[in-house]
Amino acid sequence: MGGRRAGSGGSRANAGVLKERANMSFMLVVMFFAVFGLIVLTEIFLIDERRGVSVGGTGVLGGHRSGHRLPAAPDRPDYGEVGAEDYAGLKGSFDEHVGLLVRGEDGGQKTAIHPDPRGLPSLPPSLEARLPQLDQNLKVTHAEWLPVTNTRFKFFVYSAYFDDRVSGAGSPAAAKSLGVVRVISATKTRGPERVWCRLWYRQQNGANVTASVTVAAKVKVIRENWNLKYSACFVICPLPKESPTADKVPEAVSVVARLRAAPTNRILVQNRLESRTNDKEALAVCVKPLHYYYNRLHRLLGATHVTLYNDTVGAAAGCALKYYESKDLVTVLPWHHLDMISQREIRTEGLFAALNDCLYRSMYKYEYVALVDLDEYIIPRHNDTIIDLLRWMGNRINIKSTGAFSFQNAFFYLQWADDPFVVTSRTPTEAGLITLRKTRRRTKLHPHKQRSKYICKPQDVVEAGNHFVWEFIPGHGTLNVPSDAAILHHYRVCEFGGDDCIKTQSTVDRTAYKYKDRLAASVDRTWTELRAECSLPELDPVPVLTPRIKVSPLGKSVEVEVEEEEVEVEVEEEEEKEDDKEEEEDHNTSSRIDTLADESRMSLRRRR
């Protein structure tokens, strides 16, 4: 009996402890919601008080120089807390931060204005007339990094393009406008600062005077930025329906952070309607900011033009690039003055700004654009040129809605030994061609969107990425090209350092040898022409045949001479094997493309 009573007493004690814990938990929950509610109420009731306080400023108009950050004003809220009071101050004359005229010196209301003028299609003409006029001596640029002054963080602008496509705006206001002006820029990745676009229209009377319209801009950060502090971005300027002149598209644009400050950049608006042509060239190549040189293989692959961005190149490479520029084969654009540290503040010299600038720059000049690095080449397996490949695919499947063609990456590691047939080269320039020397590649290809590169129809693309397109205009997408039709040849050292990469399974791929004679002759001719003019270095001689070493029965090494005829026989045997292999691959590729065609037809039936 005593044991039972003790047990029941223990149970009551445990129940009491559990009840106390439950009550305590309930009280903690109540306290949490009480504190949370108090914070919310405080924010609601104090917001009017905060807005009623005039926002002071430093009174400095200069901002930063060369993109360096200025210390923030001590009484200025963080960017996330900036409200309409930053755009319509209560002081007389111009507001210290934005310069928007809302009251006169006597405090009387001068102009009725929306609480936040950024909600307007453009500033009213009465306010526009009070803004600083354009300095006609300010240089008009089309490809140059220039700072936006009076910002807290680095902000640079490079080029500007008129975009009137269906998707092109990226903002609701664009649906009511004639399109947008898209400015290639670079600024803070998270919470970019708000800026304005001052659109400059040329007067019809030919006078050296411009009329202006000012609109609020939207900053759209370009993806694939590694979450670094700064990123490439688009500054999107919606065009109002009504313009001050008969010309609906502005001649130039200035991006400003403070309306009261005079513009310090004046960027030519490209891709205007009158500059577009229906007679496009076939293929252009876009290369990210470079430190190296131009390769003529792209020319043999069907490219008619290559756009390069010169960050830092040596004197010899620069001399050679000028030679190609004189023949209109290459456009070299400056990429200096972007005051952001590569890989620490911004991704790889701001490469996404370069890729998208080249995309828009080529949009109405070329039917296709390939976005690759200098050590990469898209090599068709069976067709001679890339254009031949794309047209061959277009004859077999419906590519009307295809905005980009993706090609899988194959690493040709430079640590692997040179191809033995390099000893048959006729000249040192031929022996030095990387596509002929390095023929061993990694057997396993990377999947699409990983290390892959692409060729796109620029008019179908809104935002270009490094390995794939981030955004198309509606109704378009990517076609993954079968690896037996074409792959990306990527010539580089092991991507993670060291030499372990050459231990991976590999195979010999001599597809690029079909360009051997034409490429060698072209490079040799150009090298001879530029050797003295550009002070080009001496090339290594053609490698000699390595003697075969055999061991005699007596254990002594005996050198056996190798005749050149033996190598020629080996080359012929290898070529016969390659021909047989290509015939088999031709059949397999046709089957793969036919399968894609069937899938495309089924997809169209489902849509119907």
Side-chain angles (χ1 to χ4, degrees), residues 37-56:
L38 182 62
I39 293 172
V40 172
L41 290 174
T42 301
E43 289 293 321
I44 293 174
F45 286 112
L46 291 183
I47 190 168
D48 291 332
E49 180 181 347
R50 190 168 69 232
R51 287 186 176 181
V53 178
S54 176
V55 179

Side-chain angles (χ1 to χ4, degrees), residues 65-80:
R65 182 181 181 188
S66 298
H68 290 292
R69 176 181 175 179
L70 273 181
D75 58 343
R76 181 176 177 82
D78 292 336
Y79 176 80

